[in-house]
Amino acid sequence: MEKKDLRIVFMGTPEFAVGTLSRLVDDGYNIVAVVTQPDKPVGRHQDKLQPSAVKEYAMAHAIPVLQPVKMKDPAFVDKLAAFKADLQVVVAFRMLPEVVWAMPRFGTFNVHAALLPQYRGAAPINWAVINGETQTGVTTFFLDRNIDTGRIILKKPFDIPDDADVEYVYDGLMKLAPGIAEETIDLLLASDGKIPTQEQKDLISHDEELKPAPKIFKETCRINWNQPAKHVYDFIRGLSPHPGAWTTLHSTKDIELKIFKTAKTGVSTGNAAPGSIEATKKALRIACADEWLDIASLQLAGKKRMDASAFLNGNKDIASAHVG
């Protein structure tokens, strides 16, 4: 079978998935339909509907789009089956029921933004940076009944510099994803679907800790200053620029403060309590459990993001405040 004859349904929602979909279309793969999330209400009154990035691309290229609210909805399942897909490719989508992932004769594979079996879950990029990893990557695997536990097909590594934030890693993995997806499809074509895979349990040593990557909520993003500076540094860059790590600034009134970029100082805090603030005309530091962290970029609630110097110009009495 040639690639133009392999009927593929692509499933994805955000910008991260668009690069893979675009590469497959540009390289002549037969994308017969796209499945993506329903349009999202936006605006002050939630009265406008915003299509996903994947839907916008599909519509611009005349690819049929399905947007189920419930993946087990019989009407959706029937519409999906009517496309008679040989293969389904999933990039940054949602958990699929067996009636969906088992439908194509070649199965359904997912491009996951981590080196499985580590970082199974919804936010693998954030958690890899938060945990101070020096390497992550992308993995293709066949879907099964559990979340991110299926048989692994291919892996591609990606190095994480110590000063990288989530945006840097996101962009790097987004560039890797199209290549690994295309290589996986070509292997399936060459072998008529009978490619070698690895069971994830065979890749886990008896003493290895599996690090999860659960969905991130607002409370997840609150900074705990009672930790070593390295942990706080990694936590902040693991949430920057979105959704942003935050703390409460206790000054004349309590206000939420987001912090996007810091620098390690190696300077002991001495007797300063975690959350204490030290300020000069141009530099702002906050105490962690062991060392001070320089604050380079931050944002008060209701204000624009700014550097430390601009923040200090508007907050002359900041040294008498603290965070926590």
Side-chain angles (χ1 to χ4, degrees):
M1 178 185 288
E2 296 182 14
K3 63 184 180 182
K4 65 181 178 61
D5 300 316
L6 183 75
R7 298 178 63 82
I8 299 173
V9 168
F10 184 91
M11 300 184 180
T13 294
E15 178 194 11
F16 188 91
V18 174
T20 300
L21 175 59
S22 175
R23 170 80 73 86
L24 296 180
V25 170
D26 290 347
D27 287 355
Y29 293 88
N30 184 19
I31 309 299
V32 297
V34 157
V35 181
T36 191
Q37 294 279 44
D39 294 359
K40 183 178 179 180
V42 295
R44 183 176 180 182
H45 302 291
Q46 300 284 285
D47 54 352
K48 297 180 181 179
L49 292 176
Q50 175 66 48
S52 72
V54 164
K55 179 181 178 179
E56 290 183 331
Y57 178 90
M59 292 180 67
H61 292 78
I63 302 171
V65 176
L66 299 178
Q67 295 178 275
V69 174
K70 296 181 179 179
M71 299 299 292
K72 291 183 179 180
D73 181 357
F76 162 69
V77 173
D78 288 345
K79 288 179 182 178
L80 183 63
F83 285 102
K84 298 178 179 174
D86 300 300
L87 173 69
Q88 291 173 158
V89 177
V90 180
V91 183
F93 195 46
R94 57 199 283 192
M95 188 174 180
L96 305 181
E98 185 171 359
V99 67
V100 172
W101 58 255
M103 191 179 292
R105 67 187 185 96
F106 282 0
T108 301
F109 77 79
N110 182 66
V111 179
H112 186 69
L115 297 176
L116 292 173
Q118 292 292 354
Y119 296 104
R120 296 167 175 163
I125 304 176
N126 297 94
W127 286 108
V129 181
I130 288 170
N131 288 337
E133 302 288 359
T134 59
Q135 188 179 75
T136 185
V138 289
T139 302
T140 53
F141 69 97
F142 284 115
L143 267 63
D144 63 12
R145 291 180 178 86
N146 298 309
I147 298 175
D148 301 335
T149 60
R151 293 172 291 128
I152 289 175
I153 307 166
L154 294 173
K155 291 185 182 185
K156 301 289 183 183
F158 180 82
D159 291 336
I160 305 176
D162 183 64
D163 61 349
D165 61 15
V166 159
E167 186 172 47
Y168 174 90
V169 182
Y170 182 98
D171 289 346
L173 297 187
M174 186 165 56
K175 292 174 183 175
L176 278 183
I180 198 172
E182 192 166 300
E183 188 175 345
T184 300
I185 296 170
D186 289 347
L187 287 172
L188 285 163
L189 277 170
S191 64
D192 196 33
K194 300 176 179 64
I195 57 175
T197 58
Q198 289 180 295
E199 294 285 352
Q200 291 195 36
K201 62 181 178 62
D202 295 335
L203 299 174
I204 304 170
S205 60
H206 72 281
D207 59 347
E208 182 178 8
E209 175 191 0
L210 288 185
K211 300 172 184 176
K215 187 175 181 179
I216 288 175
F217 299 95
K218 179 176 175 61
E219 193 55 38
T220 312
C221 303
R222 185 166 193 160
I223 301 167
N224 177 6
W225 299 100
N226 292 289
Q227 297 185 95
K230 175 66 165 69
H231 292 183
V232 179
Y233 170 81
D234 290 337
F235 184 81
I236 289 169
R237 66 192 183 97
L239 296 166
S240 178
H242 182 78
W246 64 276
T247 189
T248 300
L249 176 65
H250 303 284
S251 185
T252 52
K253 63 178 180 177
D254 291 351
I255 188 168
E256 184 177 303
L257 176 68
K258 283 189 175 183
I259 300 179
F260 298 99
K261 187 176 178 63
T262 65
K264 293 171 286 185
T265 66
V267 178
S268 172
T269 55
N271 295 322
S276 300
I277 294 174
E278 185 179 84
T280 63
K281 288 184 178 180
K282 293 186 177 180
L284 174 65
R285 290 180 171 182
I286 297 179
C288 300
D290 56 350
E291 299 174 359
W292 293 95
L293 267 186
D294 274 336
I295 310 302
S297 178
L298 66 168
Q299 180 182 20
L300 278 171
K303 303 292 185 179
K304 293 182 179 180
R305 180 173 171 175
M306 63 189 79
D307 61 24
S309 179
F311 176 82
L312 290 167
N313 284 338
N315 295 273
K316 302 294 186 181
D317 60 347
I318 192 65
S320 62
H322 68 280
V323 296

